[in-house]
Amino acid sequence: MLTVPIRQLGEPERAAVQRILDADPYAGAQIAERVASHGLNWWRSDGRIYGYEPARRIESLIWSGAHLVPVGATPPAVAAFADLLGGEPRICSSIIGRSEAVLDLWDRLSGHWGPARDVRPNQPLLVTDRDPEVRPDPAVRLVRPNEVDQLFPAAVAMYTEEVGVSPLQDDGGRGYRRRIAELVKGKRAYARFDGDQVIFKAELAIITRRTAQVQGVWVHPDHRGRGLATAAMAAVVADSLRRVAPTVSLYVNDYNVAARQVYARCGFVSAGSFATVLF
C-alpha cells in the first residue's frame, strides 16, 4: 500500500513536469532531454516518469529507466518513490541526482536491491555561463563521422576507468559504439588528435534548452600532468556556449582533485552536489 499519491505521468501533465524540470535545469537535464525528444508517453521512450502529488499538485518527479533519476524530490517524495520501486525488480544500472535525494533513496532501497557495486556520495555539480578566461586549445575540435574508429578506443578507456567495468562486456561494445557514433553525428563529441591517436576527448552527453552537460572527459595517460586538459576544456566550453546552450554543466567525483582544478580554471562554479549509485 502506497502511503501518498504517486502515479505515472503522461502528456496531460506536461506543463507540471516542465515546471519542475525548469526549477532545477541541471539535475533534471537528463529527463528534460528525453521529454523534449519523446514527450511523456512511456511507450515512445525508454523509461517512465512518476510524479509525487500530495494535495493534487505534482511536486516531485522520478525517471525510471536505464537510470533512476529523482528531481525536486523532497524527503516525503523519496519515501513514496521508494515504496513504489522497492516492490519491483531493479531495472536501472545506476541512481543519479541531487545527493540528498539519491542517498536517501538508496538507504530505503538497498535492502531490496542491494548490494551496489559502488556508491559515490559527493560529486560536485558545476556550471558556467561565460567564456573561459583560459585561451582555448585550437587543436580541440568536433570529431568527424569518419573518425569514430579512432575515438572509440579512447571512449572505452574512459568508460572503464570511470565506471569500473568495460562497456565491451555485454555485447562486445556494439551498443556503446552506436552511442559514440550518435554523439559524433550530432556534433556532440570533441577531441584533440595526435596523428590517429586521441589524446583528449569530451562529449555533450545531454543537451537541453537550458544547458549542455559534459561527460566523458578524458586525457590519454601519456599526456596527463602537462596542462593539456585546461585549454582543451576551455575549447569545449567556448564552442558549447557559442553553438549549443546558454550554460555548460557537469559533475565530477570529489576525489578527482586534478579535474576539479581544471574546471575551476575554466570558470565553473558550484551548483550543489550529485551522488551516484552504480550496480
Side-chain angles (χ1 to χ4, degrees):
M1 294 289 295
L2 297 180
T3 58
V4 292
I6 185 171
R7 63 187 175 96
Q8 184 178 325
L9 304 180
E11 282 299 324
E13 293 80 33
R14 182 72 170 262
V17 169
Q18 197 63 60
R19 168 177 53 81
I20 295 171
L21 295 176
D22 285 344
D24 195 347
Y26 310 119
Q30 186 175 128
I31 302 175
E33 183 180 53
R34 283 173 165 80
V35 170
S37 298
H38 302 291
L40 285 167
N41 293 325
W42 66 267
W43 58 86
R44 295 174 56 197
S45 189
D46 56 354
R48 304 183 185 188
I49 296 179
Y50 295 97
Y52 169 72
E53 189 181 23
R56 298 183 179 180
R57 176 179 169 85
I58 299 170
E59 294 184 358
S60 303
L61 307 173
I62 194 164
W63 169 270
S64 179
H67 308 286
L68 194 64
V69 185
V71 180
T74 61
V78 169
F81 293 142
D83 280 348
L84 173 72
L85 297 166
E88 302 177 352
R90 176 181 61 81
I91 61 172
C92 62
S93 61
S94 64
I95 308 174
I96 307 170
R98 293 279 179 184
S99 56
E100 300 90 344
V102 167
L103 296 176
D104 187 8
L105 189 61
W106 178 233
D107 186 57
R108 296 172 182 275
L109 289 174
S110 58
H112 304 281
W113 290 358
R117 183 168 53 81
D118 193 11
V119 178
R120 301 177 183 181
N122 180 24
Q123 298 173 301
L125 174 64
L126 306 173
V127 179
T128 184
D129 62 358
R130 61 194 62 190
D131 283 334
E133 295 183 2
V134 177
R135 181 177 179 271
D137 184 346
V140 172
R141 58 172 175 81
L142 291 170
V143 180
R144 302 176 185 121
N146 65 350
E147 295 172 323
V148 172
D149 287 342
Q150 287 76 35
L151 178 63
F152 186 63
V156 170
M158 178 283 305
Y159 188 100
T160 305
E161 184 176 338
E162 172 64 21
V163 180
V165 296
S166 171
L168 307 181
Q169 66 181 17
D170 291 332
D171 61 356
R174 291 186 294 275
Y176 188 59
R177 192 183 191 284
R178 282 195 299 271
R179 172 60 175 165
I180 297 302
E182 288 170 359
L183 291 170
V184 171
K185 182 179 179 180
K187 297 183 178 181
R188 296 184 177 204
Y190 298 87
R192 176 175 175 172
F193 290 83
D194 182 7
D196 288 335
Q197 184 180 65
V198 171
I199 62 173
F200 167 86
K201 63 168 282 294
E203 291 91 40
L204 304 181
I206 300 169
I207 294 176
T208 72
R209 61 188 176 86
R210 304 289 295 277
T211 195
Q213 193 168 102
V214 179
Q215 295 180 15
V217 180
W218 180 84
V219 176
H220 192 286
D222 292 346
H223 294 265
R224 293 175 186 174
R226 303 181 183 181
L228 181 152
T230 299
M233 270 302 301
V236 173
V237 170
D239 184 69
S240 299
L241 291 175
R242 176 186 62 82
R243 188 177 58 87
V244 181
T247 69
V248 179
S249 57
L250 56 84
Y251 57 98
V252 58
N253 293 317
D254 60 340
Y255 53 78
N256 193 341
V257 176
R260 293 176 66 180
Q261 290 174 341
V262 166
Y263 302 141
R265 294 187 196 109
C266 289
F268 284 87
V269 297
S270 175
S273 177
F274 263 29
T276 300
V277 180
L278 296 169
F279 300 103

